[in-house]
Amino acid sequence: MLKTLIIIPAFNEEGSIEKVVNNLTAKFPNYDYLVVNDGSSDHTQSICHRNQYHVVNLVINMGIGGAVQTGYRYARDNHYDIAVQIDGDGQHDVSYLEEMISLIEKGQADIVIGSRFLEKEGFQSTQIRRMGINFLSFLGKVLTGVRVRDITSGYRVVNAKFIHIFANDYPADYPEPEAMVIAAVHGGRIKEYPVIMQKRNAGESSITMKRSIYYMCKVTLAMIIRRISFGVRR
Amino acid sequence: MIPVTLRVTLIIAVFFYFIFILHYLKNKMLELKYTLIWLAAGFVMVLLIAFPELLVTFVAVFGIESNMNGLYILVFAFIITTLMTLTSIVSRQNLKIRILIQELSILEKRIRELESAEQGEN
C-alpha cells in the first residue's frame, strides 16, 4: 500500500476541525493525516492538542498557500507517496477519497481534483463566483492547454512527483489556480473527479466579496507570469 | 555654470552624506551589499559637482529642454530603481521567512512528539 498523507489546512476552524478529523480517522484509519494550524487566533490549536491530533502549528499566520506547502514539505520529508489536501471547514466530502486516490495508485493521473462542476450537484457557489471560476478555468486552458473546470477547488490528491514540486514551490495566497498552472507546465496528468461539496458549516470563506476583484486580478496575473517564466526556462 | 560657493556647499553636503553612510556601516545598521547603490549615487553626485558639463551633455544627448529637468529625470530614475531593488529584497526575505516558519513549525511538531514519547517512557 502506498503511504498516504491527508493535509488539512486550518485557519480559525474551531467549529469544524474536530468533526473533520474524527470523521477522517474513523473512515480511513490507514491513512495518515496532518492538520496544519495556520496560526489560528481561536481555539483550533488547543482543540488539536486536547485530542492529540497530528498537528503542525505555524508560529505565524501564512495564508492558505503557506499552510498547504507546509503539509507538502512534511509529506516530502517523511517520504509519503501520495498527498491529499482537503479543507478544514468540512466542505469536502471524504467519501470520494478512496476512488480519487486509486486513480493515482493505478497511475492514471498525477493529480486528481475534486470537482463540483462535473455533475453539477450539491453546493455550486454563487453565480458571480462561478463566472470567475469559469474565466480562470478558461485562462488555464489557454495558458497550458489543460482544462480544469473547478480550478479553484482545494480538494486535491497528488503523487510523489508533485509532492516534491509543491514542497519546493507553491504559490502564496489564493494558490489553487496557480498551482494548476505549475502542475500543467511540469507535465502533470490532471484528472477531475466529480464530487459534491457542502456549504461551509462554520468559519468564513477566505475570499470575501470585497476582495474578489483583487483576487481575480492577482490570480490572473500570477497564472500568466507562471506560464511565461516556465516558457522562458525551457 | 554653477557658482563656486554652491559647488563648495554641495561638496560639503556630499561629504556628510558619505560620513552618514559610513557611520551606519560602521555600526552595522546597514549591510554593505545594500549600501552599494547609495555609494554609487554619492559618486555620481561628486562627478556632477566636479564636472557639471556632464549634465549638459546628458541633457543634450536625450533632447531634454532644460538642465534642471535632466537632473530631475536622473534623480527620479534613481529613486525608482532603488525602490524596485528594495521591493525585490523584501520579496526575497519574505520567501526565506516563509521557509523558516514552515521548517520551524514542523520541527516544533517533532519536538512535541519526542517529548511526549519520552514522558510516556518515564
Side-chain angles (χ1 to χ4, degrees):
Chain A
M1 210 196 107
L2 293 172
K3 234 176 126 186
T4 302
L5 178 74
I6 299 168
I7 302 163
I8 312 164
F11 174 63
N12 289 351
E13 302 286 8
E14 60 179 8
S16 55
I17 193 70
E18 266 182 310
K19 225 181 91 189
V20 171
V21 175
N22 292 344
N23 183 25
L24 205 62
T25 46
K27 276 188 180 151
F28 305 108
N30 46 351
Y31 296 155
D32 294 342
Y33 72 90
L34 179 74
V35 178
V36 183
N37 170 27
D38 188 12
S40 295
S41 51
D42 65 357
H43 294 105
T44 305
Q45 179 170 346
S46 52
I47 290 171
C48 288
H49 284 301
R50 194 178 62 220
N51 291 302
Q52 298 197 311
Y53 290 159
H54 298 290
V55 58
V56 165
N57 295 300
L58 295 181
V59 288
I60 297 166
N61 172 267
M62 290 209 294
I64 177 79
V68 169
Q69 192 183 25
T70 310
Y72 283 122
R73 277 178 179 272
Y74 183 88
R76 180 194 62 188
D77 296 348
N78 293 284
H79 313 291
Y80 281 94
D81 305 301
I82 292 175
V84 179
Q85 63 177 91
I86 63 168
D87 283 359
D89 59 10
Q91 242 186 327
H92 299 151
D93 187 342
V94 290
S95 48
Y96 306 101
L97 257 186
E98 255 173 332
E99 290 156 76
M100 287 170 72
I101 290 174
S102 81
L103 283 176
I104 302 246
E105 283 179 331
K106 284 187 233 149
Q108 291 176 359
D110 296 315
I111 294 181
V112 178
I113 300 172
S115 171
R116 70 201 125 152
F117 300 137
L118 288 186
E119 311 258 305
K120 303 214 188 319
E121 280 180 66
F123 177 57
Q124 292 281 305
S125 193
T126 59
Q127 197 179 355
I128 186 120
R129 277 195 195 176
R130 266 206 314 281
M131 274 171 55
I133 293 168
N134 277 334
F135 169 74
L136 293 177
S137 169
F138 170 74
L139 180 66
K141 165 88 181 163
V142 170
L143 292 175
T144 65
V146 182
R147 181 79 197 251
V148 179
R149 298 202 70 84
D150 200 351
I151 198 163
T152 61
S153 165
Y155 192 2
R156 296 173 173 200
V157 185
V158 313
N159 65 6
K161 179 184 171 193
F162 282 94
I163 288 176
H164 278 83
I165 288 172
F166 287 155
N168 285 326
D169 186 10
Y170 199 75
D173 36 13
Y174 316 133
E176 290 87 5
E178 207 184 326
M180 271 312 92
V181 176
I182 296 177
V185 294
H186 277 98
R189 291 163 301 155
I190 303 167
K191 270 211 171 144
E192 285 188 275
Y193 190 87
V195 300
I196 295 172
M197 288 193 192
Q198 315 296 318
K199 226 177 144 76
R200 349 176 15 105
N201 38 33
E204 281 166 39
S205 170
S206 53
I207 301 161
T208 58
M209 270 317 273
K210 216 169 78 183
R211 286 198 191 142
S212 48
I213 293 172
Y214 171 71
Y215 173 85
M216 288 305 291
C217 295
K218 204 234 150 204
V219 172
T220 304
L221 210 62
M223 286 170 77
I224 293 170
I225 288 171
R226 274 285 171 194
R227 181 63 195 89
I228 291 172
S229 46
F230 274 99
V232 169
R233 212 177 293 167
R234 270 178 187 172
Chain B
M1 266 310 99
I2 312 178
V4 178
T5 8
L6 181 57
R7 283 169 98 161
V8 172
T9 321
L10 286 174
I11 281 291
I12 293 171
V14 173
F15 176 74
F16 275 109
Y17 171 83
F18 277 120
I19 293 287
F20 201 58
I21 293 178
L22 282 178
H23 171 77
Y24 269 129
L25 277 175
K26 198 172 138 263
N27 294 322
K28 305 227 186 307
M29 288 152 81
L30 270 180
E31 228 178 287
L32 182 64
K33 200 167 79 179
Y34 304 135
T35 323
L36 290 177
I37 190 163
W38 298 111
L39 291 173
F43 183 67
V44 171
M45 284 193 264
V46 172
L47 266 185
L48 283 178
I49 295 163
F51 311 101
E53 314 85 62
L54 283 175
L55 181 67
V56 183
T57 325
F58 167 81
V59 165
V61 164
F62 289 95
I64 300 162
E65 292 270 324
S66 78
N67 290 354
M68 275 323 281
N69 278 352
L71 197 60
Y72 280 134
I73 287 172
L74 269 184
V75 170
F76 199 67
F78 170 74
I79 291 176
I80 293 272
T81 324
T82 315
L83 283 179
M84 274 198 307
T85 318
L86 287 177
T87 316
S88 136
I89 292 168
V90 169
S91 306
R92 261 180 291 153
Q93 288 187 338
N94 218 358
L95 190 71
K96 285 180 186 167
I97 291 171
R98 185 172 152 150
I99 295 168
L100 272 178
I101 296 172
Q102 290 174 335
E103 291 299 327
L104 168 71
S105 306
I106 290 174
L107 272 179
E108 189 265 345
K109 177 181 189 287
R110 271 192 71 183
I111 292 172
R112 185 162 19 94
E113 284 170 352
L114 284 173
E115 277 179 344
S116 67
E118 207 171 71
Q119 272 175 1
E121 277 170 24
N122 294 338

